[in-house]
Amino acid sequence: MDYMEQALSLARLALGQVSPNPAVGAVIVNNNEVVGQGYTQSPGFPHAEVVALKQAGERAQGGVMYVTLEPCCYHGRTPPCTQAIIAAGITEVHLAMRDPNPLVSGRGKDELEGEGVRAYVGEHEAEAKQINEAYTKFITIGMPFVTVKFAISLDGKIATKSGDSKWISCEAARKQVHNLRYTADCIMAGVNTVLVDDPHLTARSCGGRGGKARVQPLRVIVDSKGRTPLTARVFGEPGKTLLASAKSVKLEEKEAYAQVGAELLELPSAEGRVDLGKLLKVLGQREITSVLVEGGGILLGSLFDHGLVDKVIAFVAPIIIGGKEAKTAVSGRGVDKVIDSLKLERVSVEKLGEDLMVSGYVSAKPQKRG
């Protein structure tokens, strides 16, 4: 049995529920039998290792632990997991990846080995790194991981010339979008998307896991000129909504949005629009580790133009819309030559119903800490 794969499956259950902590899974084996398992709980509550140790009880003595991330070795919101592992009598620990947190970064492994616990690193490392790609960026540079998502026709349109877009993607693709929302800390959209589509911007069809209710991701509306109507659906949904504006906001406007449960955030202007870099910096300061951007084309174009996108997920439907006035997914300045186009790496393609889901990572370039 692949115990690390089992630990990775547990880690995925924590995605979207434990930020700014990493999503971690742990499995304890003794005499070829799983005696304890668990995944990271909400901040301030036990980490995966401690949950698994508690379940194992005395059977942890002499056991082997498989954990998807190096155990913490410092006292944060909770005591260090390394000390709990040592005290329980675990003799061997398999770590899928080192913790990129500068407070850990190899020290957890060293502490275990210093107390006679054998430690091995690298089993299913690629999968573990993908699960915690947002955590890795956040903990190293203080900025959230930005994923851009859009659905297009085969000829690259996101709506007809009249603005109709329901539905370009199939039901299976739309269900996957809710899974993506479920694992994100924040869903971001531009004001035009709100005005045209009046979306809910919530995670539906994937309720709480492990018997716990899912807190809805923060909704962020990029609204440079303050055009979001107070009647927008986003204000009637559970969870919080943040409106990012580039204009000076009057007190009565702030109070009106507060009445519908929204926070209005004034940010510096960049070419008459919200400075998206500053917005992401603020989100990072609020411990938002992952942002799922759902349009429209102006917002996506600005993010790409300013090099703020980490990952792209495109749902491609086998339909032709046509029309030179029909909108495309990405606006902005773009590039003059194909050779200068943004390139994706580690690209994967998956079939969802009739559609294709194409995902990839923007080619790496140096980033500055927020």
Side-chain angles (χ1 to χ4, degrees):
M1 183 175 183
D2 192 331
Y3 297 117
M4 187 62 80
E5 181 58 48
Q6 186 174 340
L8 289 166
S9 296
L10 290 165
R12 293 184 184 99
L13 295 177
L15 279 172
Q17 300 187 80
V18 300
S19 294
N21 288 343
V24 182
V27 173
I28 299 172
V29 180
N30 204 329
N31 292 323
N32 296 317
E33 179 186 354
V34 174
V35 295
Q37 59 184 338
Y39 57 87
T40 306
Q41 303 300 295
S42 302
F45 291 90
H47 292 183
E49 300 93 324
V50 174
V51 174
L53 287 169
K54 184 177 180 180
Q55 186 179 105
E58 294 182 358
R59 301 184 73 186
Q61 180 76 33
V64 177
M65 176 179 285
Y66 295 81
V67 61
T68 59
L69 184 73
E70 181 180 12
C72 64
C73 54
Y74 67 96
H75 202 299
R77 290 185 174 100
T78 59
C81 290
T82 49
Q83 290 300 309
I85 292 169
I86 294 165
I90 294 289
T91 60
E92 185 174 302
V93 178
H94 293 252
L95 323 171
M97 64 177 283
R98 292 181 185 270
D99 190 339
N101 186 340
L103 295 175
V104 185
S105 191
R107 294 184 181 90
K109 178 177 180 291
D110 291 345
E111 185 173 321
L112 291 172
E113 291 179 327
E115 294 294 329
V117 180
R118 297 184 297 275
Y120 306 93
V121 181
E123 197 173 324
H124 287 286
E125 184 175 20
E127 296 99 312
K129 286 184 174 180
Q130 183 176 31
I131 288 171
N132 277 312
E133 58 194 11
Y135 165 75
T136 296
K137 180 182 179 183
F138 173 77
I139 205 65
T140 52
I141 68 169
M143 295 283 279
F145 186 90
V146 178
T147 299
V148 159
K149 183 278 298 179
F150 51 84
I152 56 173
S153 62
L154 203 56
D155 55 337
K157 308 297 185 180
I158 60 171
T160 67
K161 61 184 178 181
S162 68
D164 180 56
S165 61
K166 292 183 174 59
W167 294 100
I168 288 178
S169 54
C170 68
E171 184 177 350
R174 296 198 299 273
K175 182 177 180 180
Q176 179 63 17
V177 169
H178 284 289
N179 291 334
L180 293 172
R181 290 177 177 180
Y182 186 92
T183 60
D185 292 344
C186 166
I187 302 171
M188 182 182 293
V191 64
N192 287 333
T193 297
V194 175
L195 293 173
V196 174
D197 296 334
D198 198 14
H200 296 274
L201 297 182
T202 54
R204 302 188 296 277
S205 303
C206 46
R209 298 168 183 173
K212 295 183 178 180
R214 168 63 163 106
V215 176
Q216 287 290 338
L218 172 70
R219 295 180 291 273
V220 174
I221 308 301
V222 181
D223 184 2
S224 298
K225 298 179 181 179
R227 295 186 292 146
T228 304
L230 295 169
T231 55
R233 285 178 178 171
V234 291
F235 300 133
E237 296 292 340
K240 298 179 180 179
T241 302
L242 176 70
L243 268 69
S245 176
K247 78 180 188 77
S248 180
V249 181
K250 297 178 181 178
L251 178 60
E252 54 265 31
E253 289 180 290
K254 286 187 177 181
E255 292 177 343
Y257 282 118
Q259 287 292 319
V260 293
E263 177 187 355
L264 214 160
L265 177 67
E266 293 181 64
L267 288 167
S269 170
E271 301 174 353
R273 296 188 180 129
V274 168
D275 186 323
L276 296 174
K278 294 289 178 61
L279 173 56
L280 291 173
K281 180 179 179 181
V282 169
L283 294 177
Q285 291 169 344
R286 297 186 180 197
E287 298 189 325
I288 296 294
T289 68
S290 60
V291 176
L292 178 66
V293 187
E294 298 207 16
I298 295 174
L299 175 59
L300 268 58
S302 295
L303 288 166
F304 280 117
D305 286 343
H306 290 90
L308 298 172
V309 179
D310 296 295
K311 187 175 184 178
V312 177
I313 299 178
F315 296 90
V316 184
I319 59 174
I320 304 294
I321 291 178
K324 64 180 181 180
E325 296 177 1
K327 293 182 179 180
T328 57
V330 182
S331 299
R333 294 190 303 268
V335 297
D336 294 324
K337 298 181 179 180
V338 173
I339 195 171
D340 296 324
S341 60
L342 181 147
K343 297 173 179 61
L344 300 183
E345 56 191 21
R346 290 177 284 155
V347 175
S348 65
V349 180
E350 181 181 347
K351 197 168 189 301
L352 293 174
E354 298 175 345
D355 299 353
L356 294 179
M357 182 177 75
V358 182
S359 61
Y361 297 84
V362 176
S363 296
K365 48 187 173 291
Q367 299 188 62
K368 295 181 179 180
R369 185 173 180 88

